Amino acid sequence: MRSLTDFLSGLPGIMPIKTRTLVLEGGVLSKAERSDIYSRDRNWLDLVLEVGPDAAAAILLAYKAGRLPMKRGYTPTDAPAAEAYLEEGDKLRKQIAERKRRAQAVKDPSLILESDLLDHRLIDSVFIANAGTGSGSMVLAGITVRKEVIGYKSNSGKSTGWRVRFDWTGSDGQPRHSETMPPEADNRRNDPDRNWGLHE
């Protein structure tokens, strides 16, 4: 999906900042159309907004009707980049439906598919929401998934990083795993050969 900023850049002659504000806060979109603008949310610092096909269509219609702030001397004209994006409407709606399913699956694990098990962040969110933050196991997509959490102290001993590993056997009989290691795992404190001289 395209970001709202990127989509607006395909409307020749608009004032992008004023248009963005009007789209998000003004009367350009209905409430339903505004709900078709989504936070990308790839990580907790990600503030990018993405525009769905219904919101994009309403913005383009407002542009053609001359309802968006324009730079001096400009009038609405052809917007081939915006039109091309709208032609992807069906594909975008499928992406949005898949994104919603995955978001709902965090609290409703019955929605998890076997292919989701490869998404470490998603599965960790499912475990935290339904089984807590520690080690444990859950049946997801008919498969028993085991979670192991191990803490690694910083050299100062004042903070802890967490190794999180998931293990399961796929429907094809193959063992699989997913793992994240914290930077603290490489610290002297966590190496028996190098951990001398540190405060307990």
Side-chain angles (χ1 to χ4, degrees):
M1 287 177 58
R2 289 178 66 180
S3 72
L4 176 59
T5 300
D6 186 41
F7 179 76
L8 294 178
S9 72
L11 303 176
I14 65 163
M15 301 174 74
I17 295 175
K18 287 187 176 181
T19 298
R20 179 185 171 89
T21 300
L22 188 64
V23 164
L24 294 175
E25 301 174 6
V28 173
L29 303 182
S30 68
K31 185 176 180 181
E33 290 163 343
R34 207 162 33 244
S35 71
D36 196 37
I37 295 176
Y38 308 89
S39 174
R40 187 171 63 183
D41 194 29
R42 291 182 182 166
N43 59 60
W44 64 278
L45 291 173
D46 192 348
L47 302 178
V48 172
L49 295 177
E50 293 180 324
V51 61
D54 296 334
I59 294 168
L60 182 58
L61 190 62
Y63 172 73
K64 291 180 175 179
R67 294 172 45 220
L68 300 182
M70 303 293 293
K71 297 174 184 175
R72 187 184 301 272
Y74 284 83
T75 57
T77 183
D78 291 339
E83 295 281 4
Y85 186 64
L86 293 185
E87 291 175 6
E88 300 178 29
D90 289 343
K91 182 179 80 171
L92 296 171
R93 287 183 183 90
K94 288 178 182 176
Q95 289 178 6
I96 291 166
E98 174 65 3
R99 187 179 294 186
K100 287 180 178 177
R101 178 194 67 80
R102 290 162 63 88
Q104 292 169 349
V106 172
K107 292 187 178 179
D108 183 0
S110 68
L111 298 174
I112 289 290
L113 305 176
E114 183 172 355
S115 58
D116 294 327
L117 299 180
L118 297 172
D119 186 333
H120 188 94
R121 182 181 177 206
L122 173 62
I123 299 306
D124 198 27
S125 296
V126 170
F127 265 81
I128 290 170
N130 297 278
T133 57
S135 299
S137 66
M138 290 182 68
V139 176
L140 301 173
I143 295 170
T144 299
V145 181
R146 293 175 180 81
K147 178 182 180 181
E148 181 183 46
V149 180
I150 298 176
Y152 292 88
K153 291 284 189 183
S154 64
N155 283 334
S156 69
K158 294 180 179 178
S159 63
T160 303
W162 301 96
R163 168 184 174 255
V164 178
R165 179 180 169 112
F166 296 104
D167 288 278
W168 70 96
T169 299
S171 59
D172 59 0
Q174 296 298 311
R176 291 185 169 80
H177 78 274
S178 172
E179 183 176 49
T180 57
M181 292 290 288
E184 291 86 352
D186 292 327
N187 288 349
R188 284 177 53 209
R189 181 176 292 276
N190 301 300
D191 184 343
D193 295 327
R194 298 185 296 139
N195 65 1
W196 49 269
L198 297 175
H199 294 292
E200 292 299 326

